[in-house]
Amino acid sequence: MRMARTLILMRHGKSSYPPGVTDHERPLAPRGRREAALAGDWLRETQAPIDAVRCSDAVRTRETLAATGITAPVRFEPSIYEASPRALIELVQLADDDLQTLLLIGHAPGMPWTAWELAANRDSEPAAELSRKFPTSALAVLEFDRPWADVDPGTGDLVRFHVPR
């Protein structure tokens, strides 16, 4: 029997734009912290426990993870910052097979484009919602019936799209 695997793609919370701060170093705005906390509540209430997190090393993604309250083991990945869908899919393919639920926290356009690339059910309601807008703190939940190494475009089922507000 194959073990179902769940990939959750999350866009960082709303960031602030302090003068003189580089894009990589921008912190979350108060709204971003609040909505990331709501995202964490939603994850705990509706999803299986998260086994591992891969998070961009940008300040706003680190702060997003902290605000969610998710305590799974985390690896900060510089490659997630400005990553293409192909690069993000390759990162997922490297996940340990004993992980059932993986949370990836990153940026736009990488997160929405990757969710779209992976989804086989692009005519579903979650896909329609995702295609309209993937705002800050939004979460796309995809399920796979294969090992992480075999995750490729069009092999996932986009089962939920949630915008915490």
Side-chain angles (χ1 to χ4, degrees), residues 74-120:
V74 62
R75 190 176 310 150
F76 294 101
E77 298 278 354
S79 65
I80 295 173
Y81 185 75
E82 297 187 340
S84 68
R86 182 75 245 154
L88 292 169
I89 292 168
E90 287 172 0
L91 180 66
V92 170
Q93 291 169 338
L94 296 173
D96 295 332
D97 265 340
D98 60 340
L99 302 177
Q100 183 174 350
T101 303
L102 176 64
L103 171 62
L104 206 67
I105 303 176
H107 310 266
M111 292 296 112
W113 288 358
T114 302
W116 187 256
E117 281 291 308
L118 290 172

Side-chain angles (χ1 to χ4, degrees), residues 20-102:
V21 174
T22 65
D23 183 73
H24 192 272
E25 302 305 311
R26 284 191 292 124
L28 288 182
R31 181 181 123 196
R33 282 190 292 280
R34 183 178 69 254
E35 291 173 353
L38 291 172
D41 292 343
W42 182 83
L43 286 167
R44 280 183 290 283
E45 292 167 9
T46 67
Q47 301 301 304
I50 292 167
D51 298 313
V53 179
R54 302 294 179 261
C55 182
S56 163
D57 68 342
V59 170
R60 62 190 176 275
T61 50
R62 288 174 172 266
E63 290 182 356
T64 296
L65 174 59
T68 66
I70 300 296
T71 58
V74 62
R75 190 176 310 150
F76 294 101
E77 298 278 354
S79 65
I80 295 173
Y81 185 75
E82 297 187 340
S84 68
R86 182 75 245 154
L88 292 169
I89 292 168
E90 287 172 0
L91 180 66
V92 170
Q93 291 169 338
L94 296 173
D96 295 332
D97 265 340
D98 60 340
L99 302 177
Q100 183 174 350
T101 303
L102 176 64

Side-chain angles (χ1 to χ4, degrees), residues 3-18:
M3 183 167 85
R5 289 179 172 74
T6 302
L7 174 65
I8 303 168
L9 299 173
M10 180 178 187
R11 185 176 171 197
H12 63 76
K14 177 73 175 161
S15 59
S16 62
Y17 295 86

